[in-house]
Amino acid sequence: MNLKAIIVEDEQASRDILKKYLDKYCPQVSVMGEASNINEGLELIRNHELDLVFLDVEMPYGNAFDLLEKVGDRTFETIFVTAYNHYAMEALNAHASYYLMKPVSIDELIKAVDYVVDIKEKENTLQDQVLVPKQPGVIGKITIPQQDGFEVLETSDILFCKADDNYTEIHLKNHKKKVVSKTLKYFDETLEASNFVRVHKSYLVNVNEIVKYLKGKGGSVVLSNGQEIMVSASKKSGLLSYFQ
């Protein structure tokens, strides 16, 4: 699969090195243009149908996050390339597919590009299709603690779970919400065999309740009740693997 890409990086030497590595080790990437600041990057993004943007964080006239905010909805994936590791959490929150540290490791660059290729191939396969999970929902129950004992829930009645610090909100089909004093990680592990998938650091969803996948906004799913939930780039490949 061919990926149309641009490089947004203020240092010419860094752009040259990255382009050289891509030409030699990632032939599936076609670099459509280069930009040295966010204004030039925004113009390239608006003038091209892109699959991938390589993005430095600190640049003239703003940073990478300013650029992504100006872009708004997007269908391309983003690979951050930076000398600063303290931006990793912000990059994750900006739905980056990968975070590469300078000097760029060739092995890590190949892994990053392969990950984006995997996402794009799965998205293209599922485009305009009715989403049907490969596995049927698993019939089962879970117990949630209460002050006077515990309550039993059918796993099939759960739409999604949302993290709230050390608590978890369990949203049900009957429009009710249960707040439990356990972390989302606990429910991620408990419901692992029941077709629940972590789509974001804050969300765990019932795969059988997903009715639509949207490539805009960096990727999101729509549930049977109309709820739209963002999908982290790092979670996309795993999510899309559930569908045929």
Side-chain angles (χ1 to χ4, degrees), residues 145-197:
Q146 294 184 327
Q147 288 185 342
D148 57 350
F150 60 85
E151 181 179 359
V152 179
L153 296 179
E154 298 281 351
T155 56
S156 59
D157 288 337
I158 301 172
L159 285 169
F160 66 95
C161 302
K162 180 183 178 182
D164 184 9
D165 292 328
N166 290 324
Y167 291 80
T168 298
E169 297 177 4
I170 300 177
H171 292 255
L172 304 172
K173 291 181 183 179
N174 61 8
H175 306 293
K176 290 184 178 180
K177 179 177 72 174
K178 308 286 184 179
V179 179
V180 185
S181 58
K182 289 187 178 294
T183 64
L184 188 63
K185 181 182 178 182
Y186 168 84
F187 287 102
D188 192 3
E189 294 171 350
T190 302
L191 295 168
E192 185 178 8
S194 300
N195 267 16
F196 281 76
V197 61

Side-chain angles (χ1 to χ4, degrees), residues 54-238:
F54 291 94
L55 192 57
D56 190 12
V57 176
E58 295 188 350
M59 292 175 289
Y61 311 121
N63 60 31
F65 308 107
D66 297 324
L67 172 59
L68 293 177
E69 186 175 343
K70 289 183 178 182
V71 170
D73 286 2
R74 61 185 190 268
T75 58
F76 59 80
E77 299 299 318
T78 307
I79 294 176
F80 278 73
V81 186
T82 179
Y84 306 98
N85 60 12
H86 57 272
Y87 288 114
M89 183 56 69
E90 286 182 85
L92 178 65
N93 291 336
H95 300 281
S97 294
Y98 220 91
Y99 192 89
L100 294 174
M101 292 294 298
K102 296 178 182 177
V104 174
S105 159
I106 293 171
D107 288 342
E108 285 299 305
L109 176 62
I110 293 171
K111 283 171 60 178
V113 169
D114 285 346
Y115 181 76
V116 173
V117 168
D118 184 53
I119 289 174
K120 288 297 181 182
E121 287 179 342
K122 288 174 179 174
E123 283 185 337
N124 291 341
T125 300
L126 295 171
Q127 190 170 8
D128 300 324
Q129 287 191 21
V130 176
L131 297 183
V132 179
K134 292 179 180 177
Q135 300 290 334
V138 177
I139 298 173
K141 303 176 187 289
I142 61 168
T143 58
I144 58 174
Q146 294 184 327
Q147 288 185 342
D148 57 350
F150 60 85
E151 181 179 359
V152 179
L153 296 179
E154 298 281 351
T155 56
S156 59
D157 288 337
I158 301 172
L159 285 169
F160 66 95
C161 302
K162 180 183 178 182
D164 184 9
D165 292 328
N166 290 324
Y167 291 80
T168 298
E169 297 177 4
I170 300 177
H171 292 255
L172 304 172
K173 291 181 183 179
N174 61 8
H175 306 293
K176 290 184 178 180
K177 179 177 72 174
K178 308 286 184 179
V179 179
V180 185
S181 58
K182 289 187 178 294
T183 64
L184 188 63
K185 181 182 178 182
Y186 168 84
F187 287 102
D188 192 3
E189 294 171 350
T190 302
L191 295 168
E192 185 178 8
S194 300
N195 267 16
F196 281 76
V197 61
R198 191 80 167 260
V199 298
H200 187 277
K201 66 178 183 178
S202 299
Y203 288 94
L204 177 72
V205 304
N206 184 341
V207 173
N208 288 277
E209 296 302 320
I210 295 174
V211 297
K212 189 181 298 183
Y213 175 81
L214 304 174
K215 292 197 291 185
K217 301 181 182 179
S220 62
V221 291
V222 179
L223 303 183
S224 58
N225 68 340
Q227 174 93 22
E228 183 176 352
I229 295 175
M230 298 295 292
V231 179
S232 297
S234 60
K235 306 293 186 184
K236 282 184 185 178
S237 183

Side-chain angles (χ1 to χ4, degrees), residues 12-31:
Q12 180 70 54
S14 295
R15 295 200 303 272
D16 290 344
I17 290 172
L18 181 56
K19 190 173 181 182
K20 179 181 177 182
Y21 284 174
L22 290 170
D23 287 342
K24 186 171 183 179
Y25 301 104
C26 305
Q28 66 271 56
V29 177
S30 299
V31 178

